[in-house]
Amino acid sequence: MRRFLRPGHDPVRERLKRDLFQFNKTVEHGFPHQPSALGYSPFLRLMAIGTRSGAVKLYGAPGVEFMGLHEENNTVTQIHFIPGQCQLVTLLDDNSLHLWSLKQHGGASELREEHRFTLKGPPGSPPSATQITAVLPHSSREVLYLGTESGNIFVVELPSLRVLEDRTITSEAVLQRVPEDYCNRRSCELVEALREHPKNPDHILIGYSRGLIVLWDLHNSRVTHHFLGSQQLENLYWQRDGSKFISCHYDGSYTQWPVSSDNRQPEPLENLVPYGPFPCKAISKIYWQTTKNGLPYIIFQGGMPRASYGDRHSISVVHGSQQTAFDFTSRVIDFFIIFSSEPTAEFDDPSAMVVLAEEELVVIDLKTAGWPAVHPPYLASLHCSAITCSHHVSNIPLKLWERIISAGSKQNIHYSKMPWPIDGGTNIAPDPPQRDLLLTGHEDGTVRFWDASGVCLHLLYKLSTVRVFLTDADPNDNMNTVGEDEWPPLRKVGTFDPYSDDPRLGIQKIYLCKYSGYLAVAGTAGQVLVMELNDEDAEHIVDHAEADLLQDQEGYRWKGHEKLKTRDGPVRFEAGFQPFVLVQCQPPAVVTSLALHSEWKLVAFGTSHGFGLFDHQQKRLVFVKCTLHPSDQLALEGPLSRVKSLKKSLRQSFRRIRRSRVSSRKRRGGSGNASEVQEANAKFDQDALQEMELAPVQRKIEARSAEDSFTGFVRTLYFADTFLRDSSRHCPSLWAGTNGGTVYAFCLRVPPAERRMDEPVRAEQAKEIQLMHRAPVVGILVLDGRSTPLPEPLEVAHDLSKSPDMQGSHQLLVVSEEQLKVFTLPKVSSKLKLKLTALEGCRVRKVTVANFGSCKTDDYSENDLAVLTNLGDVQIISLPFLKLQIRYPCIRKEDVSGIASCVFTKYGQGFYLISPSEFERFSLSTKWLVEPRCVVDVPEVTSNNHVHNKSGMENAARKS
């Protein structure tokens, strides 16, 4: 009857759970996926980015971040800040306008959508009559001017977004002042650009796509000047004093026009094709910036010769004799210039150019000679090479942290030293309580070290493993060199480079010991590199060792890729983590698991063929263990092999169907006398399901066959000092779990420190556990006599953890995809288990031990398991009794890549990829919460030419 009993409600435990656990998605790290629009407020000094999924993100000084999301999930096509206000308008591709405000709510500030509006024409009019093409927020802060495809300009009141029909500027009214021969030859067509006069807010410049430009008097509703362009118009820009403006065109030319005080027909002062005389791409945007030395900055997007550079994404900067065409590796969405916004300033004096490309944000310092790039403190291009794995390390010691920063600073000598120019708002969030690192492995063989302590994910250091191997690319190539006589003067900028020299370089596993500074990385072609931190550049030979995981077994032939060729002789490495030994697995399959024990100087690695142990102090292989089943032929094809056995797949499918039918007939069987053949076929199911005690709410699970592919795939490796042979003596041990539900345990004999280099490390297999359902083993953990997880290597030596209890009996926790099971040690007898698949139909994908502290008191904390399932749920399970504490929906179950990329931290936080370029950060703890808090000073504009500051408004910018 105990199977039908359910645990009672414990009010004390429920209160404690409220003090320990709380789920929040706190902040998004990285670069917005598929950006589509860019805006900037020189008053607030805030930048806004819109995306194709309808998100709007605001950024200021590091730590100042806001986010909003349109309900429609349509593409954001334009963003415009209202001058002198904490407001902005967004235009979507469904022709809807949205007004957003930063509002204070409950002591916190949020980006809220105030109004939405869709411009509608008269009944029967075509959609183009009201399709918005240009938006101009007027400096009066009272109206918006909306240019449309029909050539009409509608006036919309702020903040109500109500159309003021009596103030509409129609194309017919504009054409009344234009010469008749021009009217007959061309119509106005769509409004391409609207620009307010910098000195007279009653005048606006209207540019039409066919080339006509007019200066419109808002007060008298008439045209004061018209300018007849001969080419299709792309954009307009006023010079600071309002005496001239620049128009740029589809043929790659730009024209400078004077605006006289009389009514004479103006003639262009200058018409120039910068990269002519051959046909050129359109110049889509242009700036003309004045300086004190008299030489203007002319900055424009596009304009390159079509035949030779039609596929380039460029922005050119011209200043006197200096000219550079910045070449971006992805399409340029938009850009803006940061210059003096003081109304009393006589010159623009530009300081920086901010470029939003499709895959990264690039900022160019225009004050420093050579115009270097500025290292961004946020919006990092995480996917500059595709992310292949992640590894989080909490509470980094200060000494290691400083050494990593020092190594990274030597890599950043080519960046500008100027402060970050987008500095609106003030970050008032408390300093992070500890230093955290997020390490990402990439397809090009690099590992990037990110400061994950706070809101801004900031790159500290980049490690490359390419120098160890021979590849087609020369690591000394400089992509940014410009030849003296090269024309156009192209210069490659940005870090986004999605192309890998060799897919075998890809990083698959990372393990960093924060106490010793040892780092192990493993790759796609079976390479395992062990590194140590060096503060200076060094040149040395990397030792090599091979690990034959097949152990010369006959009948196996590797069909996948070859191993990477290594460099002969000494290799020069930059300051930072430098490899000193390379272990090459044979066959060169993907390394699927990795563990490093820096106190014992051992590294363990596993592939789909087996696992091995390497002594990186003596630089010798300790042992290898082949885990292949005779039917594991697919394990020999490799991840890069395109050929898979269709016959084998069909055969496996039919076997599963047959086993299912056999077991169903057995359950139905009413005749009583079953044939010997049926009994033989069903024997496997009986053995496999014997362990399960089915409660009424449970589902029966189909047992997996040993013939299923990849059963030898090593999923997890774990070092532990525990009782393996008897209960009186503990010893170092290595545990390995496979895809076929097998757990191997090896006793290790590690010589004492004084004889460590003289005697070899020895290993002997002590245990082999076969889970009845053969479910993949995703985690192994040993609990000490106090039921506490064993500390990390060297953690006790650094007085950061209590010594493990070696008096009481230890327990072994094995986490498979289907259930969690506790065994006693050393006998390995089953003690208790928690079935997940049988009860809930989910499978475990990620598991880790996390420490949860109470938000009410510093005196209480507990260790629990954080489990992510294939349904995207995060479950917290108590230790050692395996009781489900709480469950949160975290990731959409359809988001397979997001679930696969998830990584937990030691203190109840997590990261997962919501796109190739963005990490979503979440917290399961009430105590550990990282979210933006900021103060924004709101400029108050009393007139067009005067700006005042009013008191700051405190914001706790929290994502909805």
Side-chain angles (χ1 to χ4, degrees), residues 391 509-511 520 522 528 549 585 590-597 600 602-614 623-627 712-720 733-739 742-746 748 776-782 793 812-815 847:
H391 176 65
K509 295 292 174 183
I510 307 170
Y511 199 104
V528 179
L549 296 175
C585 298
V590 174
V591 177
T592 57
S593 55
L594 185 68
L596 177 72
H597 201 293
W600 301 337
L602 299 175
V603 60
F605 48 89
T607 71
S608 54
H609 306 119
F611 61 95
L613 181 66
F614 185 80
F623 78 91
V624 291
K625 170 71 175 177
C626 181
T627 56
F713 185 118
V714 180
R715 292 286 290 267
T716 183
L717 291 164
Y718 178 71
F719 286 107
S733 63
L734 172 66
W735 300 76
T738 72
N739 220 38
T742 307
V743 177
Y744 299 95
F746 280 76
L748 306 178
V777 178
V778 296
I780 298 174
L781 183 68
V782 172
L812 171 69
L813 171 64
V814 177
V815 182
V847 62

Side-chain angles (χ1 to χ4, degrees), residues 327-541:
D327 186 14
F328 299 88
T329 56
S330 58
R331 183 172 63 93
V332 174
I333 304 297
D334 201 355
F335 75 102
F336 61 85
I337 306 299
I338 297 178
F339 55 91
S340 174
S341 58
E342 290 294 328
T344 56
E346 186 178 354
F347 303 101
D348 293 311
D349 284 329
S351 58
M353 175 174 71
V354 180
V355 183
L356 176 66
E358 200 166 35
E359 304 293 351
E360 61 186 326
L361 184 80
V362 179
V363 178
I364 303 297
D365 178 4
L366 299 177
K367 288 287 190 183
T368 305
W371 300 333
V374 182
H375 195 53
Y378 49 72
L379 287 175
S381 182
L382 300 175
H383 64 316
C384 44
S385 175
I387 294 176
T388 50
C389 65
S390 303
H391 176 65
H392 188 275
V393 187
S394 299
N395 209 7
I396 302 293
L398 178 60
K399 185 176 180 181
L400 176 63
W401 185 265
E402 291 175 343
R403 294 178 70 190
I404 292 174
I405 291 177
S406 174
S409 64
K410 295 176 183 178
Q411 297 176 336
N412 296 332
I413 57 174
H414 301 296
Y415 282 103
S416 166
K417 302 299 183 184
M418 80 175 296
W420 183 244
I422 305 166
D423 55 1
T426 306
N427 179 22
I428 60 167
D431 292 335
Q434 60 187 29
R435 296 168 292 274
D436 289 352
L437 275 179
L438 179 66
L439 281 67
T440 54
H442 297 264
E443 191 180 47
D444 62 354
T446 58
V447 178
R448 286 170 167 80
F449 290 64
W450 305 92
D451 177 2
S453 312
V455 172
C456 296
L457 194 69
H458 181 60
L459 181 64
L460 299 178
Y461 165 68
K462 184 180 82 169
L463 162 71
S464 177
T465 62
V466 178
R467 288 186 178 271
V468 181
F469 306 102
L470 288 170
T471 61
D472 295 335
D474 183 356
N476 296 317
D477 283 346
N478 188 353
M479 298 290 290
N480 292 332
T481 54
V482 179
E484 293 182 4
D485 301 326
E486 183 180 347
W487 187 263
L490 286 167
R491 189 174 111 199
K492 187 82 77 175
V493 287
T495 60
F496 179 71
D497 184 11
Y499 306 107
S500 173
D501 298 323
D502 193 324
R504 297 174 295 173
L505 290 167
I507 305 297
Q508 297 296 329
K509 295 292 174 183
I510 307 170
Y511 199 104
L512 171 67
C513 175
K514 60 186 178 184
Y515 303 112
S516 64
Y518 283 114
L519 172 70
V521 297
T524 304
Q527 70 270 29
V528 179
L529 286 164
V530 185
M531 312 184 187
E532 58 184 343
L533 194 54
N534 190 345
D535 297 328
E536 302 294 335
D537 294 3
E539 187 172 1
H540 60 259
I541 296 175

Side-chain angles (χ1 to χ4, degrees), residues 37 76-77 79 186 208 262 264 279 321 400 442 447 451 458 469 560 606 623 668 689 758 795 896 941 947:
V76 181
T77 57
I79 300 177
R186 298 168 181 268
Y208 296 93
D262 53 30
R264 289 181 301 168
S321 60
L400 176 63
H442 297 264
V447 178
D451 177 2
H458 181 60
F469 306 102
F623 78 91
R668 288 198 305 267
L689 296 173
D758 302 325
E795 192 173 10
V896 179
V941 180
V947 181

Side-chain angles (χ1 to χ4, degrees), residues 105 144 290 342 498 529 591 601 703-704 755 806 903 911 951:
H105 174 70
L144 292 175
T290 57
E342 290 294 328
L529 286 164
V591 177
K601 304 293 192 296
R704 305 179 189 214
R755 300 195 305 273
M806 292 298 183
V903 56
F911 301 81
S951 61

Side-chain angles (χ1 to χ4, degrees), residues 213-419:
I213 306 166
V214 299
L215 187 61
W216 182 263
D217 185 344
L218 297 173
H219 186 69
N220 298 310
S221 298
R222 66 185 185 92
V223 172
T224 62
H225 297 76
H226 67 273
F227 310 86
L228 303 179
S230 59
Q231 293 292 333
Q232 180 176 321
L233 181 69
E234 291 289 321
N235 220 319
L236 299 169
Y237 185 79
W238 277 107
Q239 291 190 21
R240 190 178 186 93
D241 60 2
S243 63
K244 308 180 191 69
F245 70 88
I246 313 296
S247 63
C248 54
H249 302 274
Y250 182 76
D251 66 341
S253 66
Y254 65 83
T255 305
Q256 187 176 187
W257 302 87
V259 180
S260 58
S261 56
D262 53 30
N263 292 328
R264 289 181 301 168
Q265 170 62 33
E267 294 293 332
L269 294 175
E270 182 184 29
N271 185 18
L272 183 65
V273 182
Y275 296 112
F278 302 107
C280 295
K281 295 174 66 177
I283 295 180
S284 55
K285 190 172 184 177
I286 192 166
Y287 281 84
W288 185 290
Q289 302 277 281
T290 57
T291 61
K292 293 176 183 177
N293 64 10
L295 294 173
Y297 278 86
I298 306 169
I299 304 169
F300 55 90
Q301 177 184 347
M304 302 294 284
R306 287 186 181 274
S308 304
Y309 302 95
D311 60 341
R312 300 297 182 99
H313 315 287
S314 69
I315 294 178
S316 299
V317 180
V318 183
H319 180 58
S321 60
Q322 291 179 273
Q323 180 166 347
T324 299
F326 293 99
D327 186 14
F328 299 88
T329 56
S330 58
R331 183 172 63 93
V332 174
I333 304 297
D334 201 355
F335 75 102
F336 61 85
I337 306 299
I338 297 178
F339 55 91
S340 174
S341 58
E342 290 294 328
T344 56
E346 186 178 354
F347 303 101
D348 293 311
D349 284 329
S351 58
M353 175 174 71
V354 180
V355 183
L356 176 66
E358 200 166 35
E359 304 293 351
E360 61 186 326
L361 184 80
V362 179
V363 178
I364 303 297
D365 178 4
L366 299 177
K367 288 287 190 183
T368 305
W371 300 333
V374 182
H375 195 53
Y378 49 72
L379 287 175
S381 182
L382 300 175
H383 64 316
C384 44
S385 175
I387 294 176
T388 50
C389 65
S390 303
H391 176 65
H392 188 275
V393 187
S394 299
N395 209 7
I396 302 293
L398 178 60
K399 185 176 180 181
L400 176 63
W401 185 265
E402 291 175 343
R403 294 178 70 190
I404 292 174
I405 291 177
S406 174
S409 64
K410 295 176 183 178
Q411 297 176 336
N412 296 332
I413 57 174
H414 301 296
Y415 282 103
S416 166
K417 302 299 183 184
M418 80 175 296

Side-chain angles (χ1 to χ4, degrees), residues 98-163:
H98 302 255
L99 178 65
W100 297 81
S101 298
L102 284 170
K103 292 281 188 179
Q104 191 168 5
H105 174 70
S109 177
E110 299 173 352
L111 182 63
R112 287 187 176 182
E113 185 178 355
E114 296 289 320
H115 298 285
R116 66 187 65 188
F117 162 77
T118 301
L119 188 62
K120 297 179 180 178
S125 61
S128 62
T130 55
Q131 183 68 40
I132 300 171
T133 56
V135 179
L136 172 63
H138 196 262
S139 60
S140 65
R141 299 175 288 168
E142 297 174 353
V143 292
L144 292 175
Y145 292 92
L146 308 178
T148 62
E149 282 188 4
S150 64
N152 296 327
I153 299 169
F154 296 88
V155 184
V156 175
E157 187 181 48
L158 287 175
S160 63
L161 296 185
R162 181 174 61 89
V163 177

Side-chain angles (χ1 to χ4, degrees), residues 21 391-394 434 511 514 716-719 778-784 786-792 795 801 811-815 820-822 844-853 861-868 874-882 902-910 922 924-925 928:
F21 312 124
H391 176 65
H392 188 275
V393 187
S394 299
Q434 60 187 29
Y511 199 104
K514 60 186 178 184
T716 183
L717 291 164
Y718 178 71
F719 286 107
V778 296
I780 298 174
L781 183 68
V782 172
L783 306 176
D784 68 7
R786 293 188 294 263
S787 298
T788 302
L790 295 182
E792 295 179 17
E795 192 173 10
S801 175
Q811 301 172 79
L812 171 69
L813 171 64
V814 177
V815 182
L820 292 77
K821 194 165 185 177
V822 175
V844 177
R845 287 289 178 258
K846 304 278 182 175
V847 62
T848 195
V849 176
N851 182 268
F852 293 92
S861 67
E862 65 180 41
N863 291 310
D864 297 289
L865 286 178
V867 175
L868 175 69
V874 175
Q875 303 185 11
I876 299 175
I877 297 171
S878 67
L879 286 174
F881 301 111
L882 303 185
C902 183
V903 56
F904 289 109
T905 77
K906 192 177 178 181
Y907 294 98
Q909 297 186 66
F922 63 89
L924 305 170
S925 170
W928 300 92

